[in-house]
Amino acid sequence: MKIISAKYIFCNGKYEKDKAIVFNDKILEIGDIDYITKKYPDTNITKYEDNSIIYPGFINMHTHLEFSANRATLKFGNFIDWLYSVFENRDSLVQNLTNDTINSAINEMARSGVTTFGAISSFGADMQECKETPLRVIYFNEVIGSSPAMVDTLFNDFKMRLEESKELQDDRFYPAIAIHSPYAVHPFLLREVLNIARKDKLLVTAHFLESPSEREWLENHSGEFKTLFEKFFNTSTPVNTIDEFLNSFKGIKTLFTHCTQAKDKEFDFINENNSTIIHCPRSNRLLNCGRLDINKVKNLTLGSDGLSSNFSLSILDELKAALFMHTDIDLNNLALKLINSVTINATNALNIKVGDIKEGFNADFAIFTLPNDLKDSSDTSLALHTIINCNQADNIYIAGQELSLD
Ligand code: MCF
Ligand code: FE
């Protein structure tokens, strides 16, 4: 059993003062430092320095580790140009992927206070590293393919990867399902894979309405996607409509990524379906996809996306970008909203006992130090200064064990 304490602890969306946390691999009790000291006189308390904050370990909901070899290979600035560059370079990027590349990507997340992340896996090449990392991983096996001739092969390949990942399941590695997007997944695959998700109660995620050209293709069968589909897939018709695609998720709490081009009717469906939106602000900027209207989102979470469309996997960098992007929202309120998006909102999305500090939850923590001249200790100010003044976590704990951050 261990006890840690700090000036501030972020519990259930609020900052509590002068509390201590008692834990083994799970959180046992949270109470005033004086009370806990008296109750557990024989246990040494680790007191973090003044102006420190203990957060629940942060959650990066969406990344693609298999693309971690990319630094400057893929073309940024326009979604379709990026996609062409993915087609051209995907094989070489995967060939250049080593375990070291994957682990340094994971370590970058850990240094920023992340203790749980969602990994979209296209090929299964990152499965072993995701299994071996001490961080918790939601391992989203991706299904992708719109051509009818390929559907059976792709479905079988998906099922094999899913089965392999299910055998590795434990309380740090959660097999799950990623449906690539409405434009790239054939309705047969969509239906079959969602049936598996329902039957096995697996989490589901999907890229959704990421770029203006995606919307134009799905709605009007025109635009840059039309040229691409005619060239590569010999077709001029999308495989799904926006409505059909979205309606197939009815009753499944889904994590929809991007949604920069969603309109009210799609936000309404997502919100009423108890689903979550994963906001990837830097990826959206780099692929020139527009900006998510976060005011429309009931359950907002945050993701870095992969190094395929970003320049770091630090969730602190992502929080900073989001803070600077949403200039229409009051700065201090936005900061707290964003801190919630990497903690408690992710708890709601995942059904796993992470993202909050409360009894029975996993003892996953990220500890940060704020500047010692901090004057305003209101919740919104603490959130703001965490985002703008912290560039790395001082310590992280997962399942009660402190991890060394190199
Ligand atoms: O989220 C970004 C941009 N949107 C879509 N896909 C990806 C992203 N980063 C990597 N990808 C992967 C995707 O999982 O790119 C591949 C897929 O396997 C090809 S996209 C048709
Ligand atoms: Fe993505």
Side-chain angles (χ1 to χ4, degrees), residues 62-64 120 207 210 257-258 280 283 305-306 309:
H62 183 106
T63 188
H64 299 252
I120 315 295
H207 295 105
E210 179 176 6
T257 307
H258 304 309
C280 301
S283 169
D305 221 332
S309 56

Side-chain angles (χ1 to χ4, degrees), residues 64-85:
H64 299 252
L65 290 175
E66 289 167 324
F67 288 84
S68 299
N70 180 60
R71 282 291 172 281
T73 305
L74 299 178
K75 194 164 167 31
F76 290 170
N78 169 282
F79 186 79
I80 295 288
D81 291 345
W82 173 83
L83 206 49
Y84 279 111
S85 75

Side-chain angles (χ1 to χ4, degrees), residues 233-405:
F233 305 105
N234 198 23
T235 174
S236 320
T237 344
V239 282
N240 295 293
T241 67
I242 294 175
D243 287 352
E244 279 164 3
F245 183 79
L246 206 49
N247 278 319
S248 50
F249 293 88
K250 210 172 171 122
I252 304 178
K253 254 176 95 172
T254 306
L255 313 169
F256 291 102
T257 307
H258 304 309
C259 302
T260 56
Q261 302 305 318
K263 295 191 172 157
D264 282 355
K265 60 180 190 318
E266 289 108 22
F267 284 122
D268 289 347
F269 178 92
I270 291 172
N271 292 336
E272 281 159 23
N273 200 45
N274 252 325
S275 292
T276 290
I277 291 182
I278 306 177
H279 182 29
C280 301
R282 286 186 295 164
S283 169
N284 297 154
R285 175 67 188 105
L286 290 170
L287 304 189
N288 199 30
C289 285
R291 184 179 74 165
L292 172 70
D293 185 352
I294 62 174
N295 290 317
K296 299 270 164 77
V297 184
K298 192 166 93 180
N299 200 40
L300 178 77
T301 62
L302 200 68
S304 62
D305 221 332
L307 288 169
S308 30
S309 56
N310 211 335
F311 53 88
S312 88
L313 299 188
S314 158
I315 203 72
L316 294 166
D317 289 350
E318 207 62 51
L319 286 162
K320 287 181 180 65
L323 192 75
F324 279 78
M325 187 182 253
H326 298 283
T327 50
D328 53 333
I329 305 177
D330 170 79
L331 181 77
N332 291 283
N333 291 330
L334 174 61
L336 188 55
K337 201 179 168 97
L338 291 171
I339 292 290
N340 284 334
S341 78
V342 295
T343 54
I344 187 93
N345 297 357
T347 314
N348 297 335
L350 294 176
N351 294 331
I352 300 172
K353 290 187 161 70
V354 297
D356 200 0
I357 298 183
K358 69 178 186 195
E359 272 176 46
F361 267 49
N362 288 306
D364 296 358
F365 311 116
I367 298 148
F368 297 89
T369 311
L370 294 182
N372 56 18
D373 62 334
L374 180 82
K375 285 271 186 288
D376 175 359
S377 60
S378 64
D379 281 13
T380 53
S381 164
L382 292 172
L384 177 67
H385 286 287
T386 303
I387 297 177
I388 62 179
N389 280 309
C390 296
N391 293 315
Q392 60 176 71
D394 302 330
N395 319 76
I396 65 169
Y397 287 75
I398 298 173
Q401 299 296 322
E402 189 176 350
L403 239 77
S404 77
L405 295 170

Side-chain angles (χ1 to χ4, degrees), residues 2-40:
K2 291 177 195 155
I3 305 180
I4 57 176
S5 75
K7 185 154 182 187
Y8 307 102
I9 297 181
F10 189 71
C11 303
N12 194 19
K14 294 189 296 291
Y15 293 85
E16 305 280 357
K17 257 187 125 175
D18 299 319
K19 300 261 186 218
I21 310 169
V22 187
F23 58 95
N24 44 34
D25 62 328
K26 302 272 190 306
I27 297 167
L28 302 171
E29 192 172 355
I30 302 144
D32 290 339
I33 296 181
D34 291 348
Y35 165 82
I36 295 288
T37 316
K38 285 197 193 100
K39 185 163 175 187
Y40 301 93

